[in-house]
Amino acid sequence: RERKVLRKQNEAAVVVQRTWRAHEKSKLDRSIDSCIAIQSAYRGSVERKRFSEEKHRNDSAIALQRSYRSFAASSAYDRQRSSSIAIQSAYRGAVKRKRYSSSLRAVTEGVVALQ
């Protein structure tokens, strides 16, 4: 009879211990899950910040490249326009001098013919 009581107490103690260990393991699992969630949130935050900084650097580089290309194209256009104006001016001046020379010759011949 006493053995039976001891065995029942022993079984009861085993059940209590098993339940307690399961409860503690569950708390530990929740704690680990919380740690993982915190680590995940932190790593995500760090990665988003890094991506944002990298995007900012890339956007800045693109803006600089755009400005340089615009400046280079504008400078090339200005040089070409100045060259075109110089060529046109030289050509128009030559044509005017030729016309003036021709009209001067015609006037001179007319004056000589009258004399």
Side-chain angles (χ1 to χ4, degrees):
R1 168 132 167 90
E2 214 174 288
R3 267 190 155 149
K4 210 175 196 182
V5 171
L6 279 174
R7 191 173 32 181
K8 286 275 189 192
Q9 285 178 346
N10 194 21
E11 288 174 3
V14 168
V15 169
V16 169
Q17 289 172 353
R18 185 182 325 126
T19 305
W20 178 253
R21 287 183 187 127
H23 171 72
E24 287 296 307
K25 184 174 182 334
S26 175
K27 273 182 20 181
L28 181 63
D29 289 347
R30 282 194 303 265
S31 177
I32 289 173
D33 289 346
S34 297
C35 288
I36 290 172
I38 291 169
Q39 287 175 343
S40 177
Y42 174 74
R43 288 176 183 152
S45 170
V46 167
E47 190 60 26
R48 281 188 295 278
K49 184 177 179 185
R50 186 193 66 77
F51 178 78
S52 175
E53 289 170 354
E54 186 175 323
K55 184 175 182 337
H56 178 70
R57 276 194 305 273
N58 287 343
D59 290 347
S60 298
I62 289 170
L64 283 172
Q65 289 170 350
R66 184 184 318 119
S67 294
Y68 173 75
R69 289 178 184 144
S70 174
F71 170 76
S74 178
S75 296
Y77 173 77
D78 289 345
R79 281 193 306 274
Q80 189 175 16
R81 186 169 187 270
S82 296
S83 298
S84 296
I85 290 171
I87 291 169
Q88 290 171 353
S89 177
Y91 174 76
R92 289 177 184 150
V95 168
K96 291 277 186 183
R97 284 188 294 278
K98 188 173 183 180
R99 284 186 190 155
Y100 178 75
S101 176
S102 295
S103 64
L104 186 62
R105 195 172 310 123
V107 168
T108 305
E109 288 173 4
V111 169
V112 170
L114 288 176
Q115 284 182 359

